[in-house]
Amino acid sequence: MGLFEGKTGLVFGIANDHSIAWAITQKLHEEGATMGFTHLPDKDPERPRMERRLRKLVEPIGATLMMPCDVQKDEDLDAVFAAAREELGPLDFVLHSIAYAPIDDLKGQTVAVSRDGFLTSMEISVYSLLSISCRAREHLKPGGSILTLTYLGGEKVIPGYNIMGVCKAALESSVQYLAHELGPDGIRINALSAGPLKTLSSSAVGDFEVMMKLYNSAAPMRRNVSPEDVGKTGMFLLSDLASGITGENVHVDSGFHIMGAPPADVEV
Ligand code: 0WD
């Protein structure tokens, strides 16, 4: 019997088949989970690109719930959780795999980020975890689990990651405060810090290709991670196998984060 047999959850953040949320979803599905999904609202209802892309992926795995959701809108979040209650009943897990920064602010120096860019980046990339967790608290069963995605740029300076690094630092701190507050209700929350993977979001980050190459030569395992690596650990953290883990930032990065200097065989 699969680890998620008879379990239900909500997944935020599948944009396409390269999305990290999709890698984790596939593992959850293999273990028997029933899931609801959200996609960014389509601007043109005549050509619902986002909805179609998501539908193509999740219909074949038996998704019963697919809804538009812009995390900047409370009414969207309320509608998603109300529909989840109706369709899926009390939830076992919630996956938050969302981040955004306006491109000019992301590419520019952190010192020069605009006020609006800062607020938008923080709202979508950090506040969304708080607002989703606040609602999830009402819908998760005791023993329920929340997972968010982060990156080493929240702990150390990664050139090119800029304002998103500041967001990830705030996200990781939020995970700890939320773990403290939700723990008494029997709810766990963790972050998974993934190595660099080629996705829609990461294509906007400067020097990301350089980072991917660097992992191949400088990570202890001398390779970058795969979506499969991240999918497996994401599923584990949401599962009952991780029943004693909360407030943690689990690195799935071939060990890259432990290095303080490149190995001797790497040319600098
Ligand atoms: O190397 C990477 N790709 C890494 C990503 C390494 C470590 C961490 N991460 C993180 C990201 O920062 C993010 O938190 O993983 C998470 C997922 O990112 P992803 O899978 O790399 O990127 P993507 O497939 O683009 O999914 C992020 C999604 C959005 O995609 P687009 O590309 O359409 O912006 O976040 C969602 C959206 O589906 N999103 C929103 N959802 C609701 N409301 C919003 C919003 N306002 N904005 C973005």
Side-chain angles (χ1 to χ4, degrees), residues 144-157:
S145 179
I146 303 170
L147 180 68
T148 189
L149 270 298
T150 189
Y151 180 57
L152 185 59
E155 298 167 74
K156 303 280 178 199
V157 174

Side-chain angles (χ1 to χ4, degrees), residues 105-248:
D105 292 290
L106 185 63
K107 295 231 181 269
Q109 287 199 318
T110 313
V111 70
V113 73
S114 69
R115 188 182 301 272
D116 275 355
F118 178 85
L119 293 173
T120 303
S121 309
M122 280 286 182
E123 184 183 4
I124 297 179
S125 311
V126 185
Y127 180 70
S128 64
L129 180 68
L130 302 178
S131 56
I132 285 174
S133 299
C134 185
R135 287 166 176 83
R137 176 187 226 167
E138 308 300 317
H139 291 78
L140 280 168
K141 296 178 196 157
S145 179
I146 303 170
L147 180 68
T148 189
L149 270 298
T150 189
Y151 180 57
L152 185 59
E155 298 167 74
K156 303 280 178 199
V157 174
I158 306 283
Y161 206 56
N162 308 345
I163 185 59
M164 192 48 72
V166 178
C167 290
K168 291 306 190 192
L171 183 79
E172 289 165 21
S173 178
S174 302
V175 167
Q176 296 185 335
Y177 279 89
L178 291 170
H180 161 65
E181 291 174 5
L182 303 181
D185 294 336
I187 297 170
R188 301 184 294 106
I189 177 164
N190 292 291
L192 187 166
S193 187
L197 291 168
K198 231 186 171 107
T199 65
L200 259 187
S201 295
S202 67
S203 61
V205 175
D207 296 336
F208 223 66
E209 301 273 339
V210 178
M211 285 309 287
M212 291 175 78
K213 282 197 193 123
L214 192 58
Y215 277 59
N216 286 329
S217 54
M221 293 170 75
R222 300 295 195 279
R223 68 165 178 89
N224 195 6
V225 290
S226 65
E228 170 104 9
D229 291 322
V230 175
K232 283 191 284 192
T233 304
M235 183 275 287
F236 158 74
L237 287 169
L238 286 171
S239 82
D240 213 40
L241 292 181
S243 57
I245 303 177
T246 196
E248 201 58 77

